[in-house]
Amino acid sequence: MRSRSALHRLRHTRVNKRVFILIFLAIILSLVFYKSHSTARFAIEGVDEWPAKTGEGGPWHYKYLVVIASPALEFTRRNLIRQMYFGLNDNIEPCMQDNTDTKYLFWVYGEPIARKTAERRQYEAERMEWNDIEEVRSSVWFEQHSVIDWAESEWSGRGFTYDYLIVQHIDGFVQLSGLKDELSSTKSTDVVWGSFTGQETDKYVFAIGSTAAKQVLQLWHTTYNKEGQNLLTSIHLHYQDQGQDSTGPTFLRKDVLFYNAKDEDGAPTEEHRNIVAATHVHQDDTFANLARITGLEPSEVCRGRQSIALMTSSYIYPDNCMEPSARLSAMNKRIYAERHHISFVPRSTEFAQQRGRKTVWGKIDAVQNVLPHYDWIFWTDMDCVIMDSNRSLRDLLNDLRAQYPGGVRAFDKNVDLIVSRPPRDPMLNAGVFFMRNSEWSMQFLKEVQESTEWYNKRPAYEQGAMAEVSNKTRHQPHVYLLYPDVHTFNTFPQFYQPGDFIVHYAPDGCPNDYVLQGLDAAERIRDGETITKLYHGKSGK
């Protein structure tokens, strides 16, 4: 029979074992939690796929295709339409995929803007930033038949389809949210909506279902192909003459609900709240008033938020050096971003607004404006070309995290800026870098902005300020400086090896020709060719 002391020792031992097991389990759970938490803190979380497109008909089908016909120079009205119709105030969180039931684009017609002009530089920047401009041949003019024919041939030829085509001229206005509801309520695509008075204004705003579009185009090409006539007005009269036995589309005539700003005295008022469309709206204030008075609600054209943004400059300097290659360089990056489901954010506004310091300082302003919207940004200068489009930024961040000399825990705790310094260079290179959205990063950028001695100090400018501030003792733990490094993500062309991620062309003069050759090499690499040497101006190809 056991003594009381023996029983006490046995119970005590059992209790100790239970406590030990509980502590052990707690440690294991803590490690698991830390691992998952640190992974989450590290900005590789983010979607692996774009949010699924809403609506029926598959990924290339849209219920509503909204086309706004515009001469190239209508910059301010295009921006106003983006805001009022689609709720797009800027491109900081861009539409990377049109994954709702509505697709919009600006159908730019007429003579192109002359090259090497301020207007051309602005236009190219707009195209890079918004990717919503469809240029048509200069010989094509804005007419109802030309837009419908384009939608049914060229656009559909790319594999896209639609239920309803909604068209307006840039000087028009349509109560878009209400029109979409009205078209949907017909439950038919054999329908035509608009004004059929026989006046020129008939063409400024109209809508047509896909079934009706095919039918009226056939009639136009066989019977009514005459200059000076609006397609839909002619077809309306054709079926009207045929009487009630006509098998044509349903015409929804809205003449009395059209507002012609040219014929009105004064600005639109509350008595115009029931209008469905307007023509000759030449003033932006009038357009904005019509949107307010009619209760226009923005139509959603994209959904989903990304955690990483690939940034670049879309600003073309007045010397026009990069005009031939700027948009091509941006497209190289946009295609990459679309493939890897990250945002692409080219910026020009911050560069154009620089006063009293070198224009390149717009880079710092742009990063300050964009960084709060993401977990990480990855900046690339305009003269950078992505060579290995298979390498994702998430994988690159994971690799850098795993390779960090202090270990992954130190990386997660401290690292907010990842930048490289090539051998023999006196400082870091700010042409390509990662930056995490953190309090430290915002403070770092603030101190860089305060480095006034670098505002116009050749040759480094903002790069010199970034290097100087990052070398301060209190900042060094937050900076992961890859040195000496020319292969991780910032490779000068003379150091290029097959498999390098990004080549940075940074010659003393204009990089345009080098960038064009780099873009050609990137295309060849994507096609399976092995490139072992890149032209960099110091030797032959």
Side-chain angles (χ1 to χ4, degrees):
M1 188 174 185
R2 294 179 180 176
S3 65
R4 289 184 178 179
S5 59
L7 289 172
H8 178 74
R9 285 195 299 273
L10 181 60
R11 292 192 188 101
H12 184 69
T13 301
R14 290 173 178 170
V15 169
N16 285 342
K17 285 182 179 179
R18 290 171 184 164
V19 171
F20 175 81
I21 291 171
L22 289 172
I23 293 173
F24 178 78
L25 290 173
I27 293 172
I28 295 297
L29 289 171
S30 298
L31 290 172
V32 170
F33 173 80
Y34 172 78
K35 183 177 180 181
S36 63
H37 178 70
S38 62
T39 301
R41 182 182 182 274
F42 177 61
I44 58 171
E45 69 175 15
V47 300
D48 293 324
E49 299 291 340
W50 299 117
K53 181 181 166 307
T54 59
E56 300 176 353
W60 306 110
H61 178 83
Y62 295 92
K63 188 169 186 176
Y64 308 101
L65 170 59
V66 183
V67 175
I68 303 100
S70 169
L73 286 170
E74 295 286 350
F75 302 112
T76 58
R77 181 59 62 86
R78 286 195 291 269
N79 278 332
L80 188 59
I81 286 175
R82 290 184 186 106
Q83 294 170 24
M84 296 291 183
Y85 281 9
F86 310 111
L88 303 174
N89 297 313
D90 55 47
N91 75 321
I92 289 178
E93 294 186 30
C95 280
M96 293 302 296
Q97 187 184 56
D98 301 302
N99 52 7
T100 69
D101 64 357
T102 303
K103 166 75 176 177
Y104 85 95
L105 56 86
F106 292 99
W107 194 83
V108 173
Y109 69 94
E111 290 297 321
I113 301 173
R115 295 191 176 277
K116 297 186 177 181
T117 61
E119 292 81 7
R120 182 72 184 196
R121 295 192 295 272
Q122 184 179 356
Y123 179 65
E124 291 297 324
E126 180 185 10
R127 294 184 72 185
M128 287 184 267
E129 291 166 13
W130 290 101
N131 197 40
D132 59 3
I133 287 178
E134 175 79 19
E135 284 188 333
V136 297
R137 297 185 307 276
S138 59
S139 59
V140 176
W141 203 247
F142 171 59
E143 299 290 349
Q144 289 181 333
H145 65 84
S146 57
V147 180
I148 298 173
D149 195 39
W150 170 86
E152 283 296 309
S153 57
E154 193 167 334
W155 199 71
S156 295
R158 302 173 197 169
F160 295 99
T161 56
Y162 66 90
D163 288 338
Y164 302 103
L165 172 65
I166 300 172
V167 181
Q168 75 158 79
H169 188 265
I170 195 76
D171 282 339
F173 167 84
V174 63
Q175 218 293 352
L176 183 60
S177 50
L179 173 55
K180 288 167 61 178
D181 289 342
E182 183 176 359
L183 292 172
S184 180
S185 68
T186 66
K187 302 186 183 304
S188 169
T189 58
D190 195 14
V191 61
V192 181
W193 180 100
S195 171
F196 313 110
T197 63
Q199 303 297 315
E200 182 191 12
T201 53
D202 289 352
K203 72 180 181 182
Y204 279 83
V205 182
F206 64 91
I208 187 168
S210 56
T211 302
K214 294 174 176 62
Q215 188 175 354
V216 300
L217 275 179
Q218 184 177 6
L219 272 173
W220 178 257
H221 290 309
T222 57
T223 308
Y224 291 97
N225 192 0
K226 299 178 182 178
E227 295 297 328
Q229 289 187 349
N230 289 322
L231 165 62
L232 299 183
T233 300
S234 298
I235 302 301
H236 176 260
L237 293 173
H238 167 83
Y239 285 113
Q240 195 174 55
D241 291 342
Q242 289 188 357
Q244 296 182 352
D245 295 333
S246 168
T247 58
T250 300
F251 286 83
L252 304 176
R253 187 165 185 169
K254 300 293 178 178
D255 304 355
V256 296
L257 296 178
F258 271 49
Y259 172 91
N260 189 336
K262 182 178 66 173
D263 297 337
E264 296 288 335
D265 294 328
T269 63
E270 292 297 329
E271 69 181 30
H272 298 106
R273 62 183 176 275
N274 292 323
I275 68 169
V276 295
T279 62
H280 297 91
V281 185
H282 300 304
Q283 299 299 317
D284 289 344
D285 286 346
T286 303
F287 186 97
N289 280 335
L290 286 167
R292 177 184 59 80
I293 290 168
T294 62
L296 177 67
E297 294 290 336
S299 296
E300 186 181 43
V301 291
C302 59
R303 298 179 297 109
R305 177 190 177 276
Q306 305 307 309
S307 60
I308 300 177
L310 169 58
M311 294 186 65
T312 193
S313 166
S314 49
Y315 178 79
I316 300 175
Y317 284 77
D319 63 4
N320 300 296
C321 152
M322 290 293 287
E323 184 181 303
S325 60
R327 187 163 54 87
L328 297 173
S329 177
M331 190 56 64
N332 165 266
K333 300 173 179 69
R334 179 178 293 279
I335 291 172
Y336 172 86
E338 289 173 347
R339 175 178 179 178
H340 293 284
H341 310 109
I342 60 177
S343 289
F344 176 56
V345 186
R347 299 291 293 174
S348 62
T349 301
E350 292 84 357
F351 291 82
Q353 293 177 348
Q354 294 302 307
R355 302 290 184 272
R357 60 182 184 177
K358 197 70 172 178
T359 305
V360 71
W361 275 87
K363 177 193 301 184
I364 306 301
D365 289 347
V367 172
Q368 275 187 316
N369 289 338
V370 174
L371 184 59
H373 297 262
Y374 296 91
D375 296 340
W376 287 87
I377 64 93
F378 184 63
W379 176 271
T380 57
D381 280 354
M382 182 184 283
D383 56 6
C384 292
V385 177
I386 296 175
M387 293 292 179
D388 182 5
S389 59
N390 295 319
R391 189 82 183 274
S392 79
L393 292 184
R394 290 186 179 91
D395 288 345
L396 180 56
L397 277 170
N398 271 325
D399 291 345
L400 289 166
R401 180 175 181 255
Q403 297 163 9
Y404 185 61
V408 295
R409 295 181 66 180
F411 182 100
D412 293 341
K413 180 180 178 182
N414 297 319
V415 174
D416 295 293
L417 171 64
I418 309 173
V419 65
S420 66
R421 176 183 165 188
R424 299 189 298 276
D425 275 25
M427 63 180 70
L428 59 79
N429 184 280
V432 187
F433 59 86
F434 277 107
M435 184 169 284
R436 190 207 300 265
N437 180 3
S438 67
E439 290 184 11
W440 178 87
S441 294
M442 299 311 293
Q443 177 61 32
F444 171 79
L445 292 169
K446 180 176 180 292
E447 292 183 31
V448 170
Q449 294 278 33
E450 293 169 350
S451 302
T452 56
E453 67 276 14
W454 286 101
Y455 279 8
N456 294 289
K457 186 175 179 180
R458 297 172 60 89
Y461 306 110
E462 91 301 345
Q463 178 173 284
M466 287 181 66
E468 184 176 272
V469 174
S470 67
N471 281 331
K472 293 180 180 180
T473 303
R474 68 179 182 277
H475 291 320
Q476 289 178 0
H478 295 271
V479 181
Y480 187 179
L481 181 64
L482 307 175
Y483 174 75
D485 182 89
V486 290
H487 295 295
T488 301
F489 54 60
N490 191 356
T491 301
F492 292 155
Q494 61 267 33
F495 299 122
Y496 176 76
Q497 296 176 357
D500 282 345
F501 182 28
I502 292 175
V503 170
H504 182 190
Y505 293 89
D508 293 333
C510 176
N512 179 74
D513 291 345
Y514 306 107
V515 170
L516 288 174
Q517 293 182 62
L519 291 167
D520 177 69
E523 287 286 340
R524 289 154 57 196
I525 291 170
R526 278 195 291 273
D527 290 340
E529 186 176 343
T530 298
I531 303 293
T532 59
K533 190 174 184 180
L534 294 175
Y535 179 68
H536 54 85
K538 297 180 180 179
S539 62
K541 291 184 182 179

